[in-house]
Amino acid sequence: MKKPALIRHFAFVVLFVTTLHTVYSQDRVSTERVLGKIDTSVVIQESFLVSPGSRHFFYVSNIDDGNVAFRDGEEIGRYELVTSALFSTTGERLAFVAQKNFKPRVVLDGVEGPEFEDIGHLTFSSDGKHFAYAAGQNDGILVVIDGKQLGTYD
């Protein structure tokens, strides 16, 4: 008689735990939402980026002679190469390096900047209002802050 009682007790505990888990799962609020549609067959997987706050997304796809940049599923530009995409901390602003005519330039909020020999270290301020990067030219390295070129360094 002790075995059946033990089995009934075990079954009750399993049922109780399962019921508790189901109720807990039903109480959770889903935060999922569709941001847009993409054709995953053409996305360069390493390029896919979701903004802080998960309100926007960015990706790059291949075309015959280069890359196409997309934000929220909408085409924002065609380039030879797209790299280094970065959302601001607020998630509203987007910057990336794009190559045209074999020269890189920064594209910030859809606006192409000047071309340089090399570009790196893209960064937004913590409030997302300011943007800076380092750019290389034949005569050295300069810092660009909010579109203004500040000095040349060796």
Side-chain angles (χ1 to χ4, degrees):
M1 269 204 148
K2 288 185 179 183
K3 281 187 179 181
L6 181 61
I7 291 172
R8 277 194 305 261
H9 179 67
F10 178 73
F12 171 75
V13 169
V14 169
L15 180 61
F16 176 74
V17 170
T18 304
T19 304
L20 182 63
H21 176 71
T22 303
V23 170
Y24 173 74
S25 297
Q26 291 173 350
D27 288 343
R28 285 192 275 176
V29 177
S30 175
T31 57
E32 294 178 6
R33 68 175 183 256
V34 176
L35 296 175
K37 295 182 179 181
I38 61 173
D39 181 357
T40 56
S41 67
V42 296
V43 172
I44 300 173
Q45 289 182 333
E46 297 81 22
S47 73
F48 193 82
L49 182 67
V50 177
S51 69
S54 302
R55 293 178 43 195
H56 302 285
F57 64 97
F58 172 84
Y59 66 93
V60 177
S61 69
N62 282 323
I63 56 173
D64 294 334
D65 55 348
N67 294 161
V68 179
F70 291 86
R71 179 179 176 157
D72 299 336
E74 300 292 324
E75 182 178 325
I76 57 175
R78 291 176 178 250
Y79 304 97
E80 294 163 357
L81 182 66
V82 175
T83 62
S84 306
L86 174 70
F87 277 106
S88 65
T89 54
T90 62
E92 296 303 315
R93 301 184 72 193
L94 172 69
F96 57 90
V97 176
Q99 184 172 301
K100 241 184 193 180
N101 301 319
F102 304 104
K103 296 280 188 173
R105 72 212 55 231
V106 168
V107 178
L108 175 62
D109 300 328
V111 178
E112 292 181 17
E115 61 184 40
F116 294 99
E117 295 296 318
D118 193 21
I119 294 175
H121 304 286
L122 281 64
T123 187
F124 283 98
S125 62
S126 59
D127 63 3
K129 292 180 181 178
H130 304 282
F131 175 71
Y133 60 95
Q137 299 225 67
N138 292 336
D139 56 345
I141 298 172
L142 54 95
V143 175
V144 180
I145 300 175
D146 295 331
K148 296 177 183 150
Q149 298 178 14
L150 306 177
T152 302
Y153 305 92
D154 294 329

